[in-house]
Amino acid sequence: MKMEDIARLAGVSKAAVSLAFSGKPGIGDETRARILSVAGKAGYKPRKSVQAQEAATIADAAVEEASPALLFLVIANAGIVTSQYDRQPFFRELIHFLEQGSRAGGFSLLISAIDMARFDEDLRAIADMHSDRGVILLGTNLNKETLSRIAERLHKLIVLDTCFETLPIPFVYTNNVLGGYQAGTWLCRSGHRSIGYAASDVRIPNFDARRRGFDDAMREWSIAVSSEHEFSVDPMAPAAQAVFRDRIEKMQSAGKPLPTAIFCESDFIAIGVIKSLAELGVRVPEDVSVVGFDDIAEAVIVSPELTTVRVDKEKMVRSAVRLATSLDDSPSEGGMNISVATALIERRSSAAPPSV
C-alpha cells in the first residue's frame, strides 16, 4: 500500500499524510490521529528513516488509542457525493453530528473514503482493516447493487440516508416522501395553484421519493404542474444557473405568467433559484415563493431566509450510532430500518400568492 492509498482511505490529501508522518504542523490533531490510525491498521511502512520509524511507532500507538472506534465510510465521485464531500453542507453537518454522537457513546470516529474509480481495490482494503468494526456508510448516492457488494464485505454495516426495503441491511433514513408531501400541501394551503418544480439533473432515490410525496399532495388538491414550470438544474451549484434563468426570461418575454411558487428538491437548488430570479428582477416571495429541502445552515444565510423541509440530521445520526455500537455478529441478517420524520420550516422566502 502506498501513501496515495492511505490518503484515499483517510479521506485526506497526500500532503496531509506526509505532514502526519513527518510530525510537522499544518493539520489538526484529529486528522493526524485518523491518518496514523489508518496507516497502522493497513500495515503501511514509511521509508526507513528516523522520522519514518518514529511515525510508524506513533501510528501503532494511535491504533490502540482509537479503539473502540466507529468507521464512517463514504463512496466518493459517484452521483452527488464528490471527493470534497466534507465541504458539502449537508454531509458536513452529518459528519459533525457523527463526531458528537460517537464521542458521547465513548467511541472515536474514523472517516474513510472509497474512490468509485478504485471501488473493488479500496473496498478490499477497508474490509481487511475494519472487518470487526461497526461501519456507518453514507448511502445517499448509492444504488442497490453497490450496497449489496459492500454488505458482502462489511458485516457490521449501517447505511445512512437511503433505504432499499428489499435488502436485509439496517437503514437509517429520512422520510423523503413525507417531506415532499408536506411542502406541496403547505403551498396549496397557502393559496398557490400555479406551482413549479425544480428538480436535480442528477437523480438519486431521495429526490425521487420527494417527488412522489409532492405529487401526492398535488393530486389531493387537484393541481397539475405545467410542463413549462418543470425545471432541471445542477444540484451542486448554489448560484444563479443559466438554464433556469433563460427559461424564466423566455416566459417573461413571451408574456406568460410565472408560477407563483417553486418547490426545489434541495436547499442548494432553492438558493440557486432565488439568485436566478433576483437577477431577472423577480422578487421572492412577493412574485414567486421558493421552498427548499434539507434545512442546511445556509438556509438562514441566504436572503430572504429559506422556507424548507427540515431533515433531522442529528436524530438520524444518533439512531445510526446507537445501532452501530450495539451490533451482533451478523446484523445484516434481517436488518432494522429506521425512518426519521421531516418538518416544514416556514421562513421569509414564501408567502401567499399575489392574488390572495
Side-chain angles (χ1 to χ4, degrees), residues 3 6-7 9-21 27-42 44 59 62-63 110-111:
M3 188 178 290
I6 296 298
L9 294 173
V12 299
S13 66
K14 183 179 176 182
V17 175
S18 178
L19 291 172
F21 278 114
I27 56 174
D29 292 340
E30 288 188 8
T31 300
R32 188 186 306 277
R34 183 170 78 246
I35 293 169
L36 296 177
S37 177
V38 169
K41 294 286 286 184
Y44 176 77
V63 172
L110 305 176
I111 302 176

Side-chain angles (χ1 to χ4, degrees), residues 197 207-216 225 230 265:
Y197 193 95
F207 291 154
D208 293 339
R210 293 170 191 183
R211 182 64 198 245
R212 291 198 303 275
F214 176 83
D215 287 345
D216 285 346
V225 177
E230 296 262 9
E265 285 185 333

